[in-house]
Amino acid sequence: MPSIVILLCLSVTITAAQVVMKFAAQASNELGGFMHFRVLSLVAVSFVMSCLGQLVWLYVLKVSTLGSSYLFLSLVFVLVPLCSIFFFGERMTVLQSVGISFILIGIAIQGYAGQR
């Protein structure tokens, strides 16, 4: 299995690309459309980050199994909602918190089972 650091960086990169895309969507609302330099710049940054993430993912798949590596992509479903709270002031419901807890528990169980 590749370094956990690489897998964590992959999850963070994918999360960051989604957050930047949300900033682009907000900017398009503020500026009245997508054809504005600021919006297009943010979309371009998100696109580049996504492409870099895909290249890292390709490397991970080359050196590791899909099953063990895919666990770390599940962290995106935890990191994106947390970033939405931090960057956009969104609120998390109790059910969302429970769902995130289940994701983390599932990652832990699957990770533990994979090491046995």
Side-chain angles (χ1 to χ4, degrees), residues 14-48:
I14 293 170
T15 299
Q18 295 303 309
V19 170
V20 171
M21 190 60 78
K22 175 66 175 180
F23 278 118
Q26 283 184 331
S28 74
N29 282 341
E30 293 169 8
L31 301 169
F34 289 104
M35 299 308 293
H36 190 279
F37 178 76
R38 181 172 159 210
V39 176
L40 293 174
S41 297
L42 288 169
V43 169
V45 168
S46 178
F47 179 75
V48 169

Side-chain angles (χ1 to χ4, degrees), residues 19 22 78-93 96-97 100:
V19 170
K22 175 66 175 180
V78 174
L79 296 173
V80 168
L82 294 177
C83 286
S84 73
I85 293 167
F86 182 75
F87 290 110
F88 305 108
E90 297 178 9
R91 296 189 186 273
M92 185 179 298
T93 67
Q96 288 171 319
S97 299
I100 286 174

Side-chain angles (χ1 to χ4, degrees), residues 41-113:
S41 297
L42 288 169
V43 169
V45 168
S46 178
F47 179 75
V48 169
M49 293 174 84
S50 294
C51 288
L52 290 174
Q54 290 301 315
L55 291 174
V56 172
W57 182 238
L58 184 62
Y59 168 75
V60 166
L61 291 177
K62 180 180 170 182
V63 299
S64 181
T65 64
L66 179 62
S68 62
S69 300
Y70 208 76
L71 278 176
F72 283 86
L73 287 186
S74 302
L75 289 175
V76 173
F77 296 106
V78 174
L79 296 173
V80 168
L82 294 177
C83 286
S84 73
I85 293 167
F86 182 75
F87 290 110
F88 305 108
E90 297 178 9
R91 296 189 186 273
M92 185 179 298
T93 67
V94 172
L95 287 177
Q96 288 171 319
S97 299
V98 169
I100 286 174
S101 298
F102 281 142
I103 291 169
L104 291 172
I105 291 168
I107 291 169
I109 290 170
Q110 219 175 347
Y112 177 74

